[in-house]
């Protein structure tokens, strides 16, 4: 079975609104394994690198200002199809398009304050994990893995 790792980040608004525990709970209860986590206040340069593909968008300066306004909770979650499933758990980029039951559908209103980030492909996940956790992740085995997977 191919296990994937995805980079999930609770944005400053999610941290400020006390949603960190709720988001971790959802990933844990789904069955994903937390293999790295830290609370960090990203620099402007780091955030510009993370969102480099959006550099020519009109909202880019505001996005960087928002993302550097306070601590983010940077995490790596591991499991089967973690990248695609993680994106489903977050919901659509636009909260108004996000289904109820998703994190964005349940907890936010505006695209510029949409609580969390999730890698959109395995390649970008590997790139983002390397950027945010150059020290590497923690290898361990969840004791319920035999019950989670066929
Ligand atoms: P993310 O990278 O944060 O997970 O979001 P995403 O893939 O769902 O969406 P993306 O297009 O990569 O946009 C990154 C973040 O930029 C903000 N945004 N603002 N004002 C706007 O129209 C607008 N569009 C995007 C959002 O915070 C979005 O998550």
């Amino acid at each position: 079975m191919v296990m994937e790792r995805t980079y999930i980040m609770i944005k400053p608004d999610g941290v400020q609104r006390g949603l960190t525990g709720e988001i971790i709970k959802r990933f844990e209860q789904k069955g994903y394994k937390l293999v790295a986590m830290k609370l960090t206040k990203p620099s402007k340069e780091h955030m510009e690198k993370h969102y480099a593909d959006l550099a020519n968008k009109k909202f880019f300066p505001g996005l960087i200002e928002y993302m550097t306004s306070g601590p983010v909770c940077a995490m790596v979650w591991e499991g089967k199809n973690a990248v695609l499933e993680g994106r489903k758990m977050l919901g659509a980029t636009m909260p108004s398009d996000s289904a109820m039951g998703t994190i964005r559908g349940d907890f936010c209103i505006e695209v510029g304050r949409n609580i969390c980030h999730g890698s959109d492909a395995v390649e970008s996940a590997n790139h983002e994990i390397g950027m945010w956790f150059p020290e590497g992740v923690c290898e361990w085995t969840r004791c319920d893995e035999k019950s989670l997977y066929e």
Side-chain angles (χ1 to χ4, degrees):
M1 190 191 335
V2 184
M3 288 295 176
E4 286 177 1
R5 285 177 179 163
T6 188
Y7 176 65
I8 300 290
M9 171 166 57
I10 305 173
K11 298 180 179 184
D13 53 326
V15 173
Q16 294 289 346
R17 292 180 54 206
L19 292 168
T20 302
E22 171 67 29
I23 293 167
I24 291 173
K25 187 188 85 175
R26 288 184 179 215
F27 277 85
E28 270 189 336
Q29 290 188 342
K30 176 80 176 169
Y32 290 121
K33 180 167 72 178
L34 183 62
V35 295
M37 177 165 76
K38 67 182 161 201
L39 196 70
T40 177
K41 193 160 182 290
S43 68
K44 187 168 180 278
E45 293 68 34
H46 193 76
M47 221 51 254
E48 285 174 346
K49 194 171 157 203
H50 174 90
Y51 278 129
D53 57 324
L54 301 175
N56 58 358
K57 299 280 183 194
K58 234 171 78 181
F59 60 80
F60 187 71
L63 174 63
I64 300 302
E65 195 182 336
Y66 147 59
M67 289 299 304
T68 55
S69 66
V72 300
C73 183
M75 298 179 282
V76 181
W77 288 90
E78 182 185 293
K80 189 178 176 186
N81 296 327
V83 172
L84 184 65
E85 292 297 320
R87 291 279 288 191
K88 280 195 217 163
M89 289 168 68
L90 299 195
T93 306
M94 290 286 187
S96 54
D97 295 337
S98 298
M100 292 300 141
T102 65
I103 292 165
R104 289 167 174 165
D106 287 350
F107 298 118
C108 61
I109 298 167
E110 287 211 298
V111 66
R113 297 290 182 272
N114 63 356
I115 298 183
C116 47
H117 159 82
S119 307
D120 60 4
V122 172
E123 300 70 44
S124 40
N126 292 337
H127 171 70
E128 290 168 2
I129 292 166
M131 254 191 78
W132 289 87
F133 293 97
E135 68 275 28
V137 303
C138 180
E139 311 278 351
W140 63 292
T141 304
R142 260 183 84 136
C143 66
D144 59 358
E145 265 173 26
K146 282 197 169 63
S147 306
L148 280 166
Y149 297 109
E150 291 182 45

